[in-house]
Amino acid sequence: MSVVPLGNGMRWLCATIAALAVTTATAGSVAADPVPAGKELVVLGDSYSANDWNHFEAERNCNHHGPTAWPVQLAKLMGVYGTAEVSDPSCPGASIDSGPGWTMSQQALRADKEGAFGPNTKLVTVQFGMNDKWGKSDRSLWDSLASCVLNVEQGCDPEAVDQGRMTDYTGVSGALMALRMSNTVTYIKYYAPNARIVFVGYPELFTPGTSTVCLSIMGAAPFINPRGRALVEYLDRIDLAQREAAQLLGIDFFDARALTTGHGLCSEHPWLNGILDPRTGIDGLPFHPSAEGDTMLANGIYARYGR
């Protein structure tokens, strides 16, 4: 069983050699690195987990998490918030492996150095995919916002992919997503054998299958792009790929989209932030869950996995 180096002392290279012992009597005793007990809750993810962005920070250090982010609320429900029983290196801009921000394996490395993975680890959540590059495109979704999603003049129809204005959603697949996550998931499984590993999906941003994308501005002036089919298709394919990847990896999938159905950005009662929208939160990250949306996710995950 091959495992990527993630590092807690000598915990690296290959899980199958972890039990190797030095037995030469004349060599004296060799002190092994202490085996961490593990933390009760470990959170790996992107801005949909962190739900905060420090605009004055030159580099993402993954230390900032919104006060109402679902992992924060989940930790409070589990009774471990503010204790050493939580490791949360989730970070805005994070991806499975695309960079340039923190990747899934880098977050796992940081958590491992904190002693996150061990026999007492109860729950590990992962939430990735939105920021990755797929197919033939070298741009991420967020690189496509100005050129496609918010471009009313040209629209964000499927042909935007070939025009280089939209990330290549046709390259998204569950098999590829699972392959790109497999080393890190295998590592976590090995060193946290009793943990439930849960792939947390993204909430509903727009009605699946539609072509219209919206973003409320100050709660009164909505931005509407009726030609947003490429974005919706991307989100639909990411959701399907996450489900398939979870199954292939042998981990759980939490259906955040089903939980938030009917509360996307085009709805009358959105559970995601617009721009300076008093209905959801003046300072909330656009396109990201509001406090109410995160509460729904936290409660749902807690009811299923956190008790």
Side-chain angles (χ1 to χ4, degrees), residues 112-134:
D112 191 52
K113 288 180 177 178
E114 295 174 357
F117 305 122
N120 293 344
T121 306
K122 178 178 181 179
L123 178 62
V124 180
T125 63
V126 297
Q127 191 174 35
F128 294 97
M130 190 86 80
N131 294 326
D132 281 277
K133 298 171 184 176
W134 302 94

Side-chain angles (χ1 to χ4, degrees), residues 137-251:
S137 176
D138 193 41
R139 71 166 58 223
S140 68
L141 173 61
W142 306 112
D143 295 332
S144 307
L145 284 178
S147 62
C148 192
V149 178
L150 302 178
N151 188 337
V152 177
E153 181 180 355
Q154 291 180 284
C156 196
D157 294 320
E159 57 266 25
V161 173
D162 290 332
Q163 294 170 358
R165 297 188 293 110
M166 177 65 186
T167 188
D168 185 9
Y169 62 80
T170 65
V172 178
S173 77
L176 180 56
M177 185 177 286
L179 179 63
R180 293 165 72 168
M181 297 174 67
S182 60
N183 281 350
T184 305
V185 171
T186 300
Y187 187 92
I188 295 171
K189 283 184 175 182
Y190 186 85
Y191 285 110
N194 302 315
R196 297 290 293 271
I197 305 175
V198 182
F199 200 155
V200 179
Y202 293 110
E204 180 183 283
L205 275 75
F206 310 104
T207 304
T210 189
S211 296
T212 303
V213 299
C214 312
L215 185 65
S216 177
I217 302 173
M218 301 181 69
F223 167 85
I224 300 175
N225 189 342
R227 298 168 55 195
R229 179 62 191 167
L231 171 59
V232 177
E233 182 69 19
Y234 177 80
L235 297 173
D236 289 350
R237 292 196 183 206
I238 287 288
D239 181 76
L240 178 60
Q242 289 176 324
R243 297 168 187 271
E244 293 176 346
Q247 185 174 18
L248 290 169
L249 292 166
I251 62 178

